[in-house]
Amino acid sequence: MMVPDAHLLIVDDDERIRGLLQKFLMRNGFLVSVARDASQARRILAGLEFDLIVLDVMMPGEDGVTLTRALRQRMSTPVLLLTARGEAANRIEGLEAGADDYLVKPFEPKELLLRINAILRRVPAVRAAEPVRQVIHLGAVRYDLDRGEMWRGEAPVRLTATEAALMRIFASQPGVALSREKLVADQGEDAAQERAVDVQITRLRRKIEDDPKAPRYLQTVRGEGYMLQPD
């Protein structure tokens, strides 16, 4: 049984694995954000709440076990560790750091799915008792990621279907520069729509920014694309 609408964070320095896991888990009904390393994961976790973190152990910089130990000091979000090392000592180290489970690479995606659902089923009382809305603050504007709604103060801000799709993509990866190609692909459009992204960004800025010509929250990252930078 799948836990509906659960929001997962995948942290892995291998871009191919990140992409495959994100697509697989989204096909199975999860909302999925991704991070390429511990540093980026920390930035995302500072602005969003997650139901579970799938975390690679062997990463450049801060490794997964160290990050798990640090996260346990301030949050109880379940952590599932992934590693290419299957030795018992490494499994014990991860569990002692506070991980909820441990899966050795290579693994079948279906096994990962079973492990995730098993972990989430163990914490239903916490999920029911402490519902957390996924809200991003952009100055006077707030965006509810769960509902796909935007508000300025008490007034709702109307989003077109394309604007809503872009906001969901940006909000799932705050502080991450996303290329036009990725924004188009994540919407299921073809490459011919890349230039249309610029038009949609301009429209979104008019709804988000105090000064759309000097954007504070929906920024242009030279040579990389666009990035949502919440408060």
Side-chain angles (χ1 to χ4, degrees), residues 52-114:
L52 185 143
I53 303 168
V54 179
L55 177 58
D56 187 32
V57 170
M58 299 297 292
M59 295 185 294
E62 186 177 13
D63 64 60
V65 172
T66 304
L67 178 60
T68 299
R69 192 174 291 114
L71 294 178
R72 276 293 164 265
Q73 295 177 6
R74 60 185 181 86
M75 64 175 61
S76 58
T77 307
V79 174
L80 172 60
L81 290 177
L82 304 178
T83 184
R85 301 184 303 182
E87 293 85 354
N90 299 132
R91 292 199 296 273
I92 292 169
E93 182 185 21
L95 295 172
E96 286 181 340
D100 294 76
D101 203 352
Y102 200 101
L103 190 55
V104 177
K105 297 178 180 180
F107 54 83
E108 290 293 329
K110 187 173 182 180
E111 182 180 2
L112 175 64
L113 185 62
L114 291 172

Side-chain angles (χ1 to χ4, degrees), residues 111-187:
E111 182 180 2
L112 175 64
L113 185 62
L114 291 172
R115 299 281 189 103
I116 288 172
N117 283 321
I119 293 171
L120 293 176
R121 282 197 301 271
R122 293 202 293 265
V123 289
V126 175
R127 289 168 54 79
E130 301 177 10
V132 178
R133 298 229 61 81
Q134 309 289 310
V135 178
I136 285 180
H137 295 275
L138 310 160
V141 172
R142 67 184 188 278
Y143 176 73
D144 188 319
L145 183 57
D146 292 327
R147 295 178 177 174
E149 296 174 350
M150 183 178 289
W151 298 77
R152 179 176 287 276
E154 297 303 313
V157 177
R158 183 183 176 278
L159 298 175
T160 66
T162 303
E163 290 167 354
L166 281 173
M167 276 303 301
R168 182 168 290 276
I169 295 167
F170 280 122
S172 70
Q173 299 182 67
V176 179
L178 303 174
S179 66
R180 291 187 185 88
E181 295 86 348
K182 179 169 177 56
L183 292 170
V184 168
D186 284 358
Q187 292 181 77

Side-chain angles (χ1 to χ4, degrees), residues 18-67:
R18 278 200 314 273
L20 289 173
L21 292 182
Q22 184 178 34
K23 289 178 182 178
F24 172 75
L25 292 169
M26 288 178 69
R27 284 200 303 270
N28 281 277
F30 293 107
L31 177 63
V32 183
S33 300
V34 296
R36 63 180 173 270
D37 56 23
S39 176
Q40 187 177 25
R42 285 177 178 274
R43 290 196 298 273
I44 293 174
L45 287 163
L48 289 174
E49 296 280 349
F50 291 88
D51 296 286
L52 185 143
I53 303 168
V54 179
L55 177 58
D56 187 32
V57 170
M58 299 297 292
M59 295 185 294
E62 186 177 13
D63 64 60
V65 172
T66 304
L67 178 60

